[in-house]
Every structure is written in C-alpha cells, then in structure tokens.
Amino acid sequence: MSSSDPLLRRAVPSAAELLELEELAVRLAEETGRLVRELRPPDLASTSATKSSDTDPVTVMDTRAEALLRSRLNEARPKDGLLGEEGSAQPSSSALTWVIDPIDGTTNYLYDLPLYAVSVAVVVGDPTSAGSWLPVAGAVRAPVIDVTWSARVGGGARRHGPSRPGTVGTTGPAAADVPLRISGANDLGQALIGTGFGYHPTRRAQQAQALTRVLPTIRDLRRLGSAAIDLCLVADGRLDGYFEVGLNPWDLAAGWLIVTEAGGTVSGVDGGAPSADLVVAANPLLQPQLLSLVATG
Ligand code: IPD
C-alpha cells in the first residue's frame, strides 16, 4: 500500500470527526507542552540518559510527557492505536493510530534552548511501514515561544497564538487562528532552508557531505533543532524549505500534514512518500528543485 493508495484515502474520517481529532491534538499538545515547560527539572542533565547513540538524549520529562499523552489518548480514543518516540506501541482496532513525539528537540530541551515542541498526529494506515500511512490531523506545540500549529486534512492549517503580545520570537499584537501560507520563493539561490542532523556519526558525515552541495547554492541554512518546528516554519512561510535524512514518523507526522495543508509539497526520494530515507518540504515550485539538489550524489 502506498500513501496515495485509494484504500488509505477511503479510511480518512468524516469532516466532523477530523475537526474533533484536530481539536483533541491541539488540547493534548498544549497540556503536554505545559507539563514539559513548567516541570523541567533544574538538574535535568544529571538525570538524563541516551538512546540510539551517545549523543541521542532522553530525559525524564520525555518519558513523563509520553505517559501523559498515552493516558489521555487511551481515555479519549480507546480503539485507536499509538506509536510514540519513547516506546509506546499499541495496535489499532479503529482505522486510526496516534503518532506522538513528547519532546521534539530534546537536545534543545536539555540545554534549556527555547525551540522544542510536542508533536501529536493521528494517521491512517501503518505508521511503522514507510509509504503506507497518511496523517489526517495533528498539532505541534512549542511551549516556550507560545505557538501551536495545527491542521486537518482538507481543512487547512493554522497557527494559534502567541497568546501574549511580545512573546519571544514574535512581533506585533497577539494573533489567534491565523491561516498558514507557505512562502512563494521559487529561486533556490534566494531561499532560506532548514535542515537537521541525525545522532549517528556515519549519518552525520553523509549529511556534512550533502551540505557541500547545498550551502553554495542557497541563501542560507538554519539548523534549529526540532524537525516538527522546522516543518511548521515552512508551512508558516518563515523558512522557504526544509530537508533531512533519518526522520522517524513521530518527528514528521504532524508537520507533514501542516505543510501540505498550507499549500506545500512534502516528499521523499524520487517524489515518493517522505520517510527516514529523505524528507523534502517547500512550496510546489521550489520543492522539486530542492529535492534534486539534496538527492544528487
Ligand atoms: C530530533 C530533532 C532534530 C532532528 C533529528 C530528530 P528528537 O528529534 O527533530 O531536529 O534533526 O533528526 O531526531 O530526538 O529531539 O525528538
């Protein structure tokens, strides 16, 4: 089954259910964002461990935030499946599975840098099999900058907040429910592009190699430290594009939908579904140019 398969499309819930799912994703991402921000222990570094490599952190708050999301979802949506970064894996007895990242940008969180987020998405299909699933509703909450981005399939994408004027990273008065619009950039030479790096030294070396082609070709590059936020900033027109190799479904699920609902294109290798092999996001004019630049070599 591929993510453009009609069977997947047929599994998409009704417009009324999608609205409920998006609202639930927003509520849970915001509640979890409060927990993560307000209860961040001052001695976080000393109580943290590592996962896939010596530099891939997991904090007590990643585990605690995932437990909160799991318990809320089990209560609200007992038939839906669950896949979480910190090990949640529950089969679905509905057509839906929640794909959650309790803290995306854990290294930023560990160092008390502001760009980290809670990502909550609900998908049809099997999120453990690349190309066999599609996000249908989701939200990304960045609690320190007080912004939530969300979307539902066919229902557009929006930014909620910041709720307080003058919040870090914003200018002008508070805004609520602003429809997202992707940037119109169509010249790579003038494009501001985001990317990220994996935790394995071998992958990092390959990523450094790719940068020797990308950096001389674009306006500039940003490595902000949260793939979910990078994708939302593409949707919000604050980055012209984004690419990364090595993303997991929980890094990608909500942001992918938010970009496509803002009018953008997200693909993987050869224009297929985004996956761990490659994710490239931008507006439909720029995306193929960025894809061929990062996929070459
Ligand atoms: C990481 C962040 C980072 C990206 C890595 C991800 P985590 O997620 O999204 O920006 O470059 O590939 O693994 O580990 O902080 O949840």
Side-chain angles (χ1 to χ4, degrees), residues 56 85 101 103-106 196-197 199 223 225-227 244 247 251:
D56 180 5
E85 176 169 25
D101 190 341
I103 305 179
D104 183 63
T106 305
F197 307 121
Y199 291 109
R223 194 294 193 243
S226 159
E244 185 162 346
L247 289 189
D251 301 312

Side-chain angles (χ1 to χ4, degrees), residues 131-197:
S132 303
W133 58 282
L134 273 179
V136 295
V140 172
R141 170 67 178 169
V144 179
I145 59 171
D146 189 19
V147 174
T148 307
W149 297 270
S150 71
R152 60 185 183 277
V153 70
R158 56 219 117 250
R159 172 178 8 100
H160 319 257
S163 50
R164 297 181 305 280
T167 303
V168 180
T170 66
T171 52
D177 284 26
V178 177
L180 297 182
R181 191 158 314 139
I182 200 138
S183 97
N186 63 6
D187 174 4
L188 261 187
Q190 294 297 313
L192 184 63
I193 303 295
T195 192
F197 307 121

